[in-house]
Amino acid sequence: MKRIITGIIILVLMYSCKNLPEIEDTPLGLQEIKDIGELITAEYYGEVIRSLTSVKDSDLRNEIQEDFEVFQQITAGIFEDSKNVAAAYRKFRREDYTGDYRFKRLVKISDMKNRGMFEFLLGEHRWDDFQQDYTRKINDYLERENDMRKGEIVYLGRGWVKAGFDLTSINFPDDFFYRSDTLYIFNLDPIILDNDINPWLVPGEISGFEIIKMEKKVSLEEIETVKRACKRGLKADAIESGIFNFAISSGQESLEALFTMIDLPGTEPVTTVRILPGKYFDYKIEYLADNTIDSIEFFTVQDLVNRDLESQYIDTVWFRTHSQQEASLVKFMDDLYRESFSSHNYNGWKQYYKTFKKEIRNTQ
Amino acid sequence: MKSFRSYLMILILVLVTGCQIRSKSGIVISKLSKVSKLSTVEVVLTKYVYDVEELRNWWNKIFGKDKIFLSRTEAVVKFGIDLSKIQREDIQIRGTMIEIELPPVQVTNFSYPAEDFKVDLDVTDIDAEKMNKRLVQSIDKLYQASEMEIWRRLDQLGIHKTVETRTEILVTKILENMGFDEVYISFKGREPFNPESYDKFMETFNPDDQ
């Protein structure tokens, strides 16, 4: 008996000690080596929790918003070519838009009739109005969709976000300016350089991803979706905690520390360093704090674009040539578009960005 | 009977405390910290994760049936130097000539994004549409094993020299832009590539205290 129990103990010990599987020995391939020049000045380590349900809800909401905006344009286009609303609706039906699954879904969610939905889209209504008027119905729809999908997985992710500067973007010596003991570096925006949740936070010690709840079965794709959402959430947390401004002050400090040791030829010893981000940086940080472009932000962006694209106008505080100004504006718009992934964007923001890009391509 | 009870107690103890991953209560997380690191080289590494055992359930184990898992994974590793380690005595300046001894090159970021790996579903013995918790955990463990493997092999890649050369080129270029005519760079020896998060968390997390 004793021997059997000892055997069981040894077996359990061996089994429970085997924390990691031994995978087959496959080669490690070196695929690419690239030169970069990144100065990391701020690190954010954090934890984030995301569930499949919350991710799916937000994706679906985005999808419905996109449908709403697409159909708003379609109805407006049709109305423009028609005499009145009745004629426009007849044309809308003739072209079988009422049979489109996206339109059908909007009708289904709102419980309106086809004609009612058509007129709602034609009216002055925005996505925000629709969302407000039909909050409960949209939520019911999302719930029904979630019920159809049975599995659930909740991940806890631990990882990091690193921010700093891309040194290759510095324009030597134009962006450098010395005044007595201060070095000013212009047009240097702090950016997110790395955003990772790896299998391990600390290899062999602390896991990066941990399942904290799982029900029934999920697909591989759904797991990947939740992991991606964790990473996005971590990045949003880092931005909210002020990683950009922290990166600037930390960058200034670390350069000051270096310059106390290095006396630059032809200048007075540098004791203070000031990093001054580009023209659009403040807008970017403020607008993207919630990953959303709201109505006030949308109109300010429109004003900015209209003025700065004007061929005669150069904001000489920041730029020397119009092409510099345009390139900077395009980069700003790209960043805004990429990061405004929330489902509460102002109606028409996405379309506005696409038109802006088209215009830029046409002028080039 | 007494000895049976004590054996049972040991068994329970082993099950409860056995070889669990240590408590994480000692670590400090969720904070911003100042750093000063210069990444100069980005390396993309590929590795196939291949395994025939981990996905097996008890039934497969009893009958000795293999369950194949195959996935193409990619790690993006950045290398560079920690600028905060540069001391005054590491720098000599004579007019427009500068001589700097830089700290050893190190890993400045390690990215191994499991959510982007391509599982070969033709070969892998799973139903990718319906996975249970055991399977999901097994796959996460395989990726953890693979990450450990990459860390172990990093030094064998022989890229210390490459990283040093490219770091030298970048630092020289920066210093020349700042007005130096002659730049001489050397390194304070070589150190094995270690995860930086290890240093960060292991300072506050001492396993002996557990």
Side-chain angles (χ1 to χ4, degrees):
Chain A
M1 188 68 184
K2 263 186 188 176
R3 278 187 196 159
I4 295 170
I5 296 172
T6 317
I8 292 172
I9 291 176
I10 292 170
L11 265 174
V12 168
L13 251 174
M14 278 169 62
Y15 189 75
S16 57
C17 275
K18 203 187 157 204
N19 275 330
L20 272 190
E22 280 171 28
I23 52 171
E24 304 284 328
D25 197 11
T26 54
L28 185 62
L30 207 162
Q31 198 180 310
E32 194 190 345
I33 299 185
K34 206 165 78 182
D35 287 326
I36 52 171
E38 294 173 353
L39 179 66
I40 309 167
T41 59
E43 282 178 347
Y44 174 90
Y45 280 79
E47 281 184 319
V48 67
I49 292 173
R50 285 293 179 275
S51 69
L52 182 59
T53 305
S54 66
V55 177
K56 286 275 176 184
D57 271 5
S58 135
D59 285 356
L60 202 55
R61 209 178 267 273
N62 274 332
E63 229 177 76
I64 300 168
Q65 183 187 357
E66 217 153 288
D67 296 349
F68 185 88
E69 287 172 3
V70 164
F71 271 91
Q72 209 161 35
Q73 276 170 26
I74 293 173
T75 50
I78 288 179
F79 182 67
E80 246 179 49
D81 303 333
S82 312
K83 271 188 258 168
N84 52 35
V85 177
Y89 182 62
R90 275 199 301 278
K91 195 176 175 201
F92 187 75
R93 264 180 51 186
R94 219 171 30 246
E95 292 183 14
D96 199 26
Y97 283 120
T98 42
D100 190 309
Y101 80 94
R102 293 171 298 178
F103 184 76
K104 276 184 171 170
R105 179 155 70 180
L106 290 172
V107 168
K108 191 178 159 193
I109 292 172
S110 63
D111 240 354
M112 280 190 252
K113 295 226 158 51
N114 281 353
R115 172 86 185 239
M117 188 69 225
F118 176 81
E119 284 178 12
F120 187 92
L121 288 164
L122 257 189
E124 289 291 288
H125 301 102
R126 301 281 176 190
W127 165 250
D128 284 347
D129 304 329
F130 185 73
Q131 232 183 181
Q132 216 169 355
D133 294 356
Y134 296 96
T135 311
R136 198 176 53 80
K137 286 186 171 165
I138 294 174
N139 288 342
D140 286 349
Y141 175 75
L142 295 177
E143 211 167 291
R144 277 202 305 277
E145 287 294 304
N146 271 325
D147 286 346
M148 276 163 64
R149 200 203 66 246
K150 293 191 177 83
E152 169 69 307
I153 185 161
V154 184
Y155 261 116
L156 164 75
R158 301 188 189 93
W160 58 78
V161 179
K162 296 177 187 176
F165 306 93
D166 180 5
L167 300 183
T168 57
S169 73
I170 297 181
N171 214 343
F172 282 109
D174 290 357
D175 290 338
F176 274 62
F177 178 73
Y178 299 95
R179 185 188 282 163
S180 62
D181 61 351
T182 305
L183 166 66
Y184 295 89
I185 307 173
F186 292 106
N187 292 319
L188 190 57
D189 286 4
I191 51 170
I192 301 290
L193 297 166
D194 303 295
N195 172 201
D196 298 294
I197 302 180
N198 289 337
W200 290 108
L201 174 73
V202 183
E205 297 285 348
I206 304 166
S207 300
F209 279 112
E210 240 170 71
I211 299 171
I212 55 173
K213 184 185 169 192
M214 186 164 168
E215 281 170 9
K216 296 179 181 146
K217 292 183 176 177
V218 292
S219 72
L220 192 61
E221 202 186 324
E222 287 169 334
I223 294 165
E224 290 166 355
T225 307
V226 179
K227 285 184 172 176
R228 276 192 202 107
C230 282
K231 250 164 88 166
R232 274 208 309 266
L234 189 70
K235 188 167 151 188
D237 287 351
I239 293 174
E240 205 178 335
S241 73
I243 196 168
F244 285 120
N245 283 326
F246 194 80
I248 295 177
S249 61
S250 167
Q252 288 174 169
E253 264 179 44
S254 63
L255 291 179
E256 280 164 10
L258 283 175
F259 286 126
T260 55
M261 297 185 279
I262 304 172
D263 290 334
L264 298 178
T267 62
E268 285 179 45
V270 173
T271 56
T272 313
V273 175
R274 287 283 162 267
I275 295 172
L276 303 162
K279 176 177 177 179
Y280 306 107
F281 175 71
D282 285 342
Y283 295 105
K284 196 165 77 183
I285 299 312
E286 195 186 323
Y287 293 2
L288 292 178
D290 52 0
N291 301 112
T292 307
I293 301 299
D294 63 28
S295 59
I296 298 168
E297 292 164 355
F298 177 77
F299 290 119
T300 323
V301 170
Q302 256 187 334
D303 284 348
L304 263 177
V305 170
N306 288 342
R307 198 182 58 210
D308 290 2
L309 272 189
E310 180 67 49
S311 57
Q312 305 299 317
Y313 173 75
I314 297 176
D315 190 345
T316 47
V317 177
W318 300 93
F319 309 105
R320 285 187 179 80
T321 62
H322 192 269
S323 61
Q324 251 179 14
Q325 179 169 294
E326 192 179 296
S328 188
L329 182 69
V330 170
K331 202 179 159 299
F332 164 65
M333 289 291 280
D334 288 345
D335 288 347
L336 275 195
Y337 183 71
R338 198 181 51 245
E339 300 293 333
S340 55
F341 46 72
S342 125
S343 56
H344 304 288
N345 287 320
Y346 181 72
N347 200 10
W349 155 242
K350 284 181 185 168
Q351 191 53 39
Y352 179 74
Y353 170 78
K354 282 173 193 161
T355 319
F356 166 81
K357 289 293 273 188
K358 213 188 260 174
E359 253 176 58
I360 294 289
R361 267 198 301 275
N362 290 342
T363 54
Q364 276 167 356
Chain B
M1 199 61 201
K2 248 185 179 176
S3 63
F4 176 75
R5 243 188 250 163
S6 56
Y7 270 115
L8 201 68
M9 284 301 288
I10 296 171
L11 185 69
I12 291 167
L13 250 171
V14 164
L15 276 171
V16 174
T17 60
C19 285
Q20 269 184 2
I21 290 181
R22 292 167 218 154
S23 153
K24 288 142 199 160
S25 56
I27 65 163
V28 180
I29 208 161
S30 227
K31 63 171 190 175
L32 271 171
S33 50
K34 290 182 178 180
V35 290
S36 179
K37 288 173 189 163
L38 182 66
S39 304
T40 56
V41 182
E42 183 182 286
V43 175
V44 180
L45 302 166
T46 54
K47 181 175 171 61
Y48 278 98
V49 176
Y50 175 59
D51 181 78
V52 293
E53 286 180 12
E54 181 59 27
L55 300 191
R56 295 186 305 175
N57 55 25
W58 282 104
W59 194 251
N60 303 136
K61 280 176 192 166
I62 292 165
F63 287 97
K65 193 177 182 307
D66 285 350
K67 284 274 178 185
I68 297 173
F69 179 79
L70 181 67
S71 172
R72 185 184 186 277
T73 72
E74 205 172 272
V76 180
V77 191
K78 291 180 184 173
F79 298 90
I81 47 168
D82 188 344
L83 296 173
S84 66
K85 287 184 183 161
I86 299 176
Q87 307 286 320
R88 194 176 282 275
E89 56 269 23
D90 302 330
I91 304 170
Q92 312 286 333
I93 299 175
R94 251 169 267 128
T96 56
M97 188 278 283
I98 184 165
E99 213 180 316
I100 298 193
E101 199 178 16
L102 295 174
V105 291
Q106 65 173 70
V107 172
T108 51
N109 194 62
F110 187 91
S111 178
Y112 196 51
E115 65 279 8
D116 295 334
F117 298 160
K118 300 269 175 296
V119 178
D120 189 331
L121 294 173
D122 294 335
V123 181
T124 299
D125 290 322
I126 55 165
D127 179 356
E129 288 304 310
K130 286 179 191 157
M131 305 203 324
N132 59 24
K133 190 173 178 179
R134 189 189 63 81
L135 219 51
V136 178
Q137 279 175 328
S138 292
I139 294 175
D140 282 350
K141 273 188 181 176
L142 287 169
Y143 288 142
Q144 286 189 327
S146 176
E147 186 180 339
M148 295 293 281
E149 195 62 27
I150 296 176
W151 274 113
R152 270 195 288 271
R153 303 257 199 97
L154 219 46
D155 284 319
Q156 299 163 15
L157 278 173
I159 49 172
H160 267 102
K161 184 72 202 150
T162 313
V163 177
E164 282 171 2
T165 310
R166 292 178 187 225
T167 304
E168 197 180 321
I169 293 171
L170 180 77
V171 175
T172 306
K173 204 170 133 194
I174 292 172
L175 289 168
E176 281 174 353
N177 274 318
M178 318 250 16
F180 291 99
D181 291 335
E182 272 180 86
V183 181
Y184 299 99
I185 309 268
S186 59
F187 290 88
K188 275 187 188 168
R190 276 184 192 165
E191 279 174 12
F193 294 132
N194 281 322
E196 35 161 11
S197 59
Y198 204 91
D199 301 335
K200 185 172 180 74
F201 288 108
M202 293 307 119
E203 282 168 15
T204 48
F205 172 65
N206 185 358
D208 300 337
D209 295 344
Q210 303 296 310

